[in-house]
Amino acid sequence: MKPVQLFCWHFMAYPHLDKDFDQKEYSGWVTVPNRLWDNTKARGLYQEYIDQLAYADELGFDGMVLNEHHQNIYGLMPSPNLIAAALTQCTSRGKIVILGNLLPLHLNPMRVAEEYAMLDQMSDGRLIAGFAPGGGPETFNYDVPSANTREKFWEAADLIVRSWTEDGPFAHEGRYFPLRYVNLWPKPLQKPFPPVWIPGSRSPSTMTEVARRGYCYFLSSRSHGGETHRAQQEFAAVLEKHGDKYHPFRFGILMSAYVAETDQQAREECEEGVWYFLKNCLKGHLRREGRQLTYGPGVPYIPAAAWKEYLKDYKPGRKLLGDAENWDELDASQSIIVGSPETVTRRIHNLIEKAKVGNLLIQFQLGNMPDHLSRKSMKLFAEKVAPPLRDASASQFSKEFPDANIEQPAEVAH
Amino acid sequence: MSGRIVQVNERNVQVLENGGGEPLLYLHGFADIHSVKESWLPFHEKLAERGRLIAPAHPGCARSDENKDIDTVEDVVFHYLEVLDALRLTRFDLVGTCVGGWIAAEIAVRHPEKIRRLVLIGAAGLFVQGALIGDVFMNAQPEYGSSYASLREMLFSRADHPMALEFFPDGKGELEDELRRYQMLRLSSRVGFKPPYFYNYSLKNRLHRITSPTLVIWGEKDNFVPRAHGETYTEKIPGAKLTTIPGSGHSAHVEKPEEAARLVREFLDK
């Protein structure tokens, strides 16, 4: 059994905000004023970030992760496919994970099918294709009406996979994206098609749709603990119901990490970047301050019955990740794991052991963390943390999932 | 008050009815029956004194079934044509507020012969250059974890109006009320989220088809549908009259129920 797959995720934050951003500005998302963009400071930023990802490939990470965001300081990748194209030219081993293209924001899903097929060819079959519906901010970014988003999303996702697997031309008779001549050139390189990952936040309906299609489920939560373990169990139960079996590579999680020589040094080195990330980048997304756009009645994409269930446990004004007031609170969320190689290894090991998760997507560069520190942390992780995690997880997975078939099933439900 | 379920094309529609006599069809908006409360508000009780008041809940609101095929206001109009058939309403007075006012205007341009008298209160539905309709969805996302002050500010003359606080409280209200508000936002997002944003560009060019006497009522300080929309309705509907309610915001029927009801009754009884 293969060991845990360790990916380096880069969000490409805007790192040049003034220190008083949080006092002065209402949000880091959607309406964050773009006069704050400073060309003098930002020149070369994309190159710095792309080089960090190429460095991850060099260090032996299993892949690099990108995703799509619009109009914010959290992630400067309105088109992750452009960055992926650059990575096909400066990396050679790791997977290129795009998690994902936000399908309801695309006028025509075939554009995503085409670009992903190109990237799969250009990377010699290293693409992992993520599809995501987008959340609150994206609803406002592109004025996507939310009530039918999920349905529209799955029609688009299924059309893309069908265009990769079925000979064209064929007609797609869909409610949202009817097309007369679906006939993909180029085809993707991987057979039957590139692995598909879908993010979700524990909603049973998303888990069910993912299970039906045999895809990998990625838990989009940034905080970890009991809920991560529960998500894994819920997804395993859903797979079981669909006559399928859970194995660690059907599941992925996101976390952040910073590794330095000692615990104390680690904290000192990363703290500025961490707080920049929490207070600025998460403002409007995972903070109470300002207006939280990510989830709420203004983006009513889940059915009323599901909203009612959500409301039962909803505590207005509850603290979100970015509302952490001190290091202890942040530490307890298990969102950003900071410490010496031994500390980070131990904590991540515990998480893998409990959550039986095979795809670990780790963000190293946080907020305005400088290049040299991001690289040092990545290097220490690759050299001192990754090996013991791989050893331990390989034996854990072999023991717990001796008969797992880790290939993506070829049959896809339409 | 009597609530009942009417079957329309195999879907349930919740209909509230009160009084007897000449029929008045009432189509609701955000701060309104079905969207925030189950029962009549004082404004409706006043209207019910003069005749038969019929208030269906929009598809997906209150106990009306959701219809996921609703994409545009046109789909809502056809839903209501079927409701009219089911209720055997061939000629009636029509009063709509906010989104309900938009739907009322859309029905009236298609079937002017069905409408005896028409009242539009703070009605959405028009594209008026330079007078953007407010973003109710952005404002429905809480600020500071639990505040809906900006939503109240949009739908009323001020955020601390007692009715605004009752209908859109901070934090978490009663579960059933929370659900009502959510359902109304969900229906509205189907017809009003994407551009066109709560409007149908063509409606303006169809308003001349309306033949019924028409009263347009606007709150003096409407922060959701600017007064310019009321002026445009009045200009384009033959013979329409615009009346402004001083001191009121978008939800005139809630903020000034006596005055709003009196204006509507006087107009309908003329």
Side-chain angles (χ1 to χ4, degrees), chain A residues 279-328:
Chain A
K279 298 302 167 190
N280 300 343
C281 299
L282 295 187
K283 194 170 192 179
H285 172 39
L286 292 175
R287 270 190 81 186
R288 296 179 296 200
E289 290 307 304
R291 197 188 294 278
Q292 204 259 102
L293 295 177
T294 299
Y295 205 65
V299 282
Y301 59 79
I302 66 171
W307 182 251
K308 194 172 173 183
E309 283 308 305
Y310 164 78
L311 280 178
K312 284 179 184 162
D313 295 327
Y314 167 67
K315 291 183 188 63
R318 72 200 186 289
K319 272 191 179 175
L320 301 170
L321 177 61
D323 296 310
E325 284 170 54
N326 55 54
W327 195 263
D328 289 344

Side-chain angles (χ1 to χ4, degrees), chain A residues 140-358:
Chain A
F140 294 106
N141 289 138
Y142 272 40
D143 275 340
V144 180
S146 41
N148 287 358
T149 296
R150 295 302 150 114
E151 218 181 275
K152 209 170 160 180
F153 167 77
W154 284 110
E155 183 185 323
D158 289 344
L159 170 60
I160 292 168
V161 174
R162 189 177 166 208
S163 78
W164 286 342
T165 49
E166 259 179 55
D167 289 336
F170 62 81
H172 171 64
E173 300 169 76
R175 160 124 158 70
Y176 298 102
F177 304 106
L179 282 166
R180 283 195 183 272
Y181 310 107
V182 179
N183 190 26
L184 196 79
W185 285 85
K187 284 184 170 182
L189 182 63
Q190 296 177 82
K191 293 293 162 215
F193 56 93
V196 172
W197 290 11
I198 309 274
S201 46
R202 282 184 67 204
S203 113
S205 69
T206 304
M207 285 190 182
T208 302
E209 298 297 332
V210 171
R212 276 185 55 209
R213 292 166 176 82
Y215 300 158
C216 168
Y217 183 77
F218 165 79
L219 181 69
S220 57
S221 170
R222 274 187 168 274
S223 303
H224 297 292
E227 296 225 346
T228 308
H229 174 46
R230 270 198 294 284
Q232 181 272 326
Q233 289 180 317
E234 285 159 3
F235 186 53
V238 171
L239 285 171
E240 200 78 37
K241 223 200 276 174
H242 285 80
D244 204 343
K245 261 194 129 109
Y246 179 86
H247 63 69
F249 306 101
R250 299 295 296 271
F251 186 46
I253 62 170
L254 156 68
M255 58 171 32
S256 307
Y258 188 84
V259 194
E261 288 71 3
T262 65
D263 285 351
Q264 196 194 337
Q265 192 181 338
R267 182 170 159 184
E268 281 168 14
E269 285 175 359
C270 77
E271 216 166 345
E272 189 190 337
V274 165
W275 290 115
Y276 183 105
F277 172 73
L278 293 174
K279 298 302 167 190
N280 300 343
C281 299
L282 295 187
K283 194 170 192 179
H285 172 39
L286 292 175
R287 270 190 81 186
R288 296 179 296 200
E289 290 307 304
R291 197 188 294 278
Q292 204 259 102
L293 295 177
T294 299
Y295 205 65
V299 282
Y301 59 79
I302 66 171
W307 182 251
K308 194 172 173 183
E309 283 308 305
Y310 164 78
L311 280 178
K312 284 179 184 162
D313 295 327
Y314 167 67
K315 291 183 188 63
R318 72 200 186 289
K319 272 191 179 175
L320 301 170
L321 177 61
D323 296 310
E325 284 170 54
N326 55 54
W327 195 263
D328 289 344
E329 268 180 34
L330 175 64
D331 215 39
S333 71
Q334 299 211 63
S335 173
I336 306 178
I337 312 275
V338 175
S340 66
E342 295 72 33
T343 301
V344 173
T345 304
R346 175 175 47 78
R347 295 190 64 180
I348 297 183
H349 171 73
N350 287 343
L351 207 94
I352 298 173
E353 202 173 32
K354 275 209 199 80
K356 305 175 196 311
V357 54

